[in-house]
Every structure is written in structure tokens, then in C-alpha cells.
Amino acid sequence: MVEEQNEDTRALDLLNDDLTDVSPEEIRAAQAALAAQLETADDRWRRTAADYDNLRKRMAREIQTVREQERQHTAEAFLPVVDALDRALTFGVDLDEGVLDGMQAVRVQAADALRALGYPEIVIDGAEFDPQLHEAVSVVEDASVPPRSILAVTRPGFGTPERMLRPAAVVVTRRPDEE
């Protein structure tokens, strides 16, 4: 390495000196040495630029992953609040109408907060059982309704098939002759 630096330095010194008493072979050798040095520096610069670009992309992916994990963590911490509000609304039928309206408004705000975090409430109205969105907690035989129909929701679910926070716990139908 030191010898290589000495040759490069000699080549540079040679080109900076008075070239009247230097042979053309020495000038060509000096030019070749400088060209090789330039090529090496260019290669190192390109590799460094590529490494930096790869680092930037990897950091962007890691930041996105951490954000998604924190979003999910926050939403999971908020789920007990929604569940408590649902229980309070179920058992609070004897409460003053204003109190019930206030609790329902807070429940809507809680669901909106989860939706803003990327976990909308799973809509059940008229839906057929979907194992990606629903968790069957009970099966009821009922010939009057198509099989796999959802009769009731025992716990609301939040999320999408791609990003599930919690599936909806549901009661599902089946035909009496099904196993």
C-alpha cells in the first residue's frame, strides 16, 4: 500500500514537474497510474453511494415497521376501553337517556380512534361467516337462515383481512343435518 502510494505520488509529482527532461514512457506510465487511481477512487465512491442508498432504504423500512408496531400496540391498549363501553351500554339500560347518549358518543369516538389507527370496526350486518374477519364462538342450528350466517356479535372486531387487530366473536348458524 505504501509502495503504491509512493508510485501514485511519483506519478503526480512527475506530471507537476517540468516535463522537458522526462521520457514519453514515463509520462504514459504516470498517466496510467493516475487513471488507475482515478478508477479506484470512482469505484470506491460508487460503492459508498450504493451502500448509503441501501442504508437509507433499510432505515425507511425499519421506521415503517416500528410505526406499524406502535400503531398496533396503541390500538391494542385501546381495545379494553371499547369493550368496557360496550358492557356499560349493554347493562346501562336503566340509566338516564343523556348518560346513555354520552356513553354512545364516547363509544363512537373510541371506534373512530381505532379506525384512524388503521383498524376499522368489522361490519357484521348481513355478513356471512369469514374466518379472516370472524371468530365463531357458538354455532346454532337454524333451518330458516342460510348456513354460515352470523346471528349475533358477542365481541366487536377491528381490522381488515390484511391488518387484523382482533376478529369479531360471532354466533354462526348451520343446518340441523350438518356436522
Side-chain angles (χ1 to χ4, degrees), residues 17-165:
D17 287 344
D18 180 23
L19 301 179
T20 54
D21 47 332
V22 179
S23 71
E25 291 82 26
E26 288 178 311
I27 292 175
R28 279 193 286 280
Q31 287 174 333
L34 286 174
Q37 187 179 10
L38 179 62
E39 187 176 319
T40 300
D42 186 59
D43 181 58
R44 286 174 37 196
W45 176 82
R46 290 182 190 280
R47 287 176 188 266
T48 301
D51 287 345
Y52 173 74
D53 191 47
N54 290 338
L55 176 66
R56 185 185 54 77
K57 289 175 184 176
R58 187 176 75 235
M59 292 306 297
R61 282 191 308 269
E62 287 179 13
I63 287 170
Q64 183 62 31
T65 299
V66 168
R67 282 183 179 159
E68 182 61 33
Q69 289 170 346
E70 285 304 311
R71 180 178 294 138
Q72 183 173 357
H73 179 71
T74 301
E76 286 172 349
F78 214 72
L79 277 177
V81 175
V82 175
D83 292 340
L85 286 167
D86 284 340
R87 280 191 303 278
L89 288 167
T90 301
F91 296 114
V93 290
D94 295 333
L95 293 175
D96 178 50
E97 189 176 324
V99 172
L100 275 177
D101 288 345
M103 288 172 55
Q104 288 171 339
V106 172
R107 168 52 166 89
V108 168
Q109 285 179 334
D112 287 347
L114 288 172
R115 183 176 57 253
L117 288 169
Y119 300 99
E121 189 165 2
I122 297 171
V123 178
I124 304 294
D125 296 336
E128 183 176 293
F129 178 77
D130 180 353
Q132 289 185 328
L133 299 173
H134 309 118
E135 176 184 351
V137 293
S138 181
V139 178
V140 175
E141 293 181 358
D142 190 344
S144 66
V145 193
R148 299 177 50 94
S149 295
I150 296 174
L151 287 181
V153 177
T154 60
R155 184 192 70 215
F158 294 89
T160 62
E162 300 81 30
R163 183 192 293 162
M164 183 60 59
L165 183 61

